[in-house]
Amino acid sequence: CELIGERASLEINKMLAIEEERKRAAELEKIDKAKTVFFSNISHEFRTPLTLILNPLEELLHQPSGNLSAIERKNIETTHRNAVRLLKLVNTLLDFSRIESGRQQANYALTDLVALTRNLVANFRAVIEKAGMKLVIKTDTIVRPVYVDRHMWEKIVFNLLSNAFKYTLAGTITVELSAEDQYAVLKIMDTGVGIPEAELPHMFERFHRVQNVTGRTFEGTGIGLSLIKEFTLLHKGDIGVISELGKGSTFTVRIPLGKEHLPKQQITRVHQ
Ligand code: ADP
């Protein structure tokens, strides 16, 4: 009889512990939601004044040459460049909070992925070549239709290329787009600092940053790769990396061809 009593009290303790754990999880979830809403609101609040800073700066920069002294122009250009950088960071935070709260709306549309990717990559050519590096782009014709969210694809290519540029001090950046099996495959290869093997499994985790392996500190937030991984997963695709320290890295994104795998209501008729 005593044994049964002991068992019952053990059971009760177990149930109480489970209930306590459930309450704690619910509390944590509430705090997490509040954090996401805060992130989202604050990012929105930052955007308006930033746009109001950028507009007059752009007007100033478009004045006929001669209206500004060389030093004035240089200072305005620096201010403008940094305001644009800040706006990009704020937009990344907005994307991030949308993903966190599950509010990221995707619009998949039939896309000429080769043309879109070539255009995006072309924006980088001047800055890469100015730094004394080479940019190579190879694209195959993709016969089966590709459906992507344009905004997300732009972010994927932009982030991977920015990283390839940021973490490469000399050599070549190669972009390849092809169709393999049932996927459109984007590969971005660099001859940069590389990533230590132990870090590779963590590369797409939120806020993860590799310690400055070369002794040089690279600025960043550790958001970019986790964000584009979420974008890739929304497309029912995948993303991966292989790398050798001191030799370079290759990031690969695969997006399924066709549209059968995508939610019907998120496919728009607009052809881009
Ligand atoms: P950020 O660049 O803002 O730190 P990311 O999420 O884009 O954030 O990248 C996370 C980390 O992955 C970076 O801090 C960097 O250490 C590493 N990384 C990303 N791309 C490369 C690359 N092409 N070569 C070497 N390291 C990279």
Side-chain angles (χ1 to χ4, degrees):
C1 184
E2 208 170 284
L3 199 66
I4 295 174
E6 219 169 89
R7 256 200 217 140
S9 90
L10 266 177
E11 277 306 310
I12 291 172
N13 280 345
K14 218 156 99 191
M15 275 161 65
L16 283 176
I18 290 173
E19 178 58 16
E20 199 53 40
E21 189 55 39
R22 199 193 55 77
K23 267 196 202 148
R24 224 185 7 235
E27 192 59 31
L28 275 180
E29 201 176 312
K30 224 167 92 189
I31 296 172
D32 201 49
K33 273 215 180 98
K35 181 204 74 186
T36 306
V37 170
F38 172 76
F39 253 130
S40 170
N41 288 349
I42 206 100
S43 314
H44 266 295
E45 291 301 317
F46 281 160
R47 265 164 63 107
T48 317
L50 254 178
T51 319
L52 295 176
I53 290 171
L54 274 165
N55 288 348
L57 281 176
E58 267 154 27
E59 259 175 47
L60 276 175
L61 282 175
H62 287 122
Q63 283 193 88
S65 53
N67 280 11
L68 294 172
S69 72
I71 182 103
E72 281 166 344
R73 179 166 291 276
K74 196 166 156 269
N75 281 337
I76 295 169
E77 275 169 2
T78 308
T79 316
H80 180 257
R81 201 172 45 246
N82 283 290
V84 169
R85 199 166 142 216
L86 193 53
L87 186 62
K88 276 190 190 145
L89 279 172
V90 168
N91 282 337
T92 301
L93 270 183
L94 262 177
D95 277 336
F96 178 71
S97 62
R98 275 195 212 110
I99 284 275
E100 282 267 283
S101 61
R103 282 180 300 114
Q104 181 74 48
Q105 266 299 325
N107 271 322
Y108 304 103
L110 183 63
T111 304
D112 181 347
L113 206 62
V114 171
L116 177 59
T117 309
R118 279 194 168 269
N119 275 337
L120 293 169
V121 173
N123 294 330
F124 278 82
R125 185 167 293 284
V127 57
I128 290 176
E129 288 178 353
K130 204 171 152 204
M133 292 194 283
K134 235 175 101 182
L135 173 66
V136 177
I137 172 151
K138 298 179 195 161
T139 52
D140 282 351
T141 320
I142 301 177
V143 182
R144 274 198 71 195
V146 196
Y147 285 78
V148 294
D149 177 293
R150 194 190 175 95
H151 164 79
M152 293 186 202
W153 185 256
E154 283 176 0
K155 282 279 162 83
I156 291 172
V157 176
F158 184 88
N159 269 292
L160 291 178
L161 258 179
S162 308
N163 279 348
F165 178 60
K166 186 156 81 171
Y167 299 107
T168 303
L169 307 175
T172 307
I173 294 171
T174 310
V175 180
E176 276 181 22
L177 182 65
S178 58
E180 282 170 28
D181 302 328
Q182 298 302 310
Y183 290 89
V185 182
L186 172 77
K187 276 192 195 319
I188 301 203
M189 289 163 260
D190 65 57
T191 54
V193 297
I195 300 158
E197 206 181 331
E199 295 276 354
L200 289 175
H202 307 290
M203 292 307 291
F204 300 98
E205 286 169 12
R206 241 170 261 163
F207 309 124
H208 186 78
R209 303 203 65 221
V210 178
Q211 285 312 309
N212 41 327
V213 281
T214 57
R216 204 185 121 164
T217 332
F218 295 96
E219 272 181 36
T221 55
I223 292 182
L225 286 180
S226 69
L227 190 65
I228 64 172
K229 177 174 182 177
E230 298 292 341
F231 288 167
T232 310
L233 292 181
L234 282 175
H235 283 77
K236 306 282 182 285
D238 51 57
I239 184 166
V241 57
I242 50 170
S243 185
E244 208 178 318
L245 201 57
K247 291 241 167 94
S249 313
T250 300
F251 285 82
T252 305
V253 175
R254 303 191 321 144
I255 301 281
L257 298 171
K259 60 179 174 182
E260 301 73 29
H261 53 285
L262 298 170
K264 272 200 185 64
Q265 66 278 17
Q266 285 174 23
I267 299 175
T268 59
R269 248 177 269 223
V270 194
H271 288 215
Q272 293 166 5

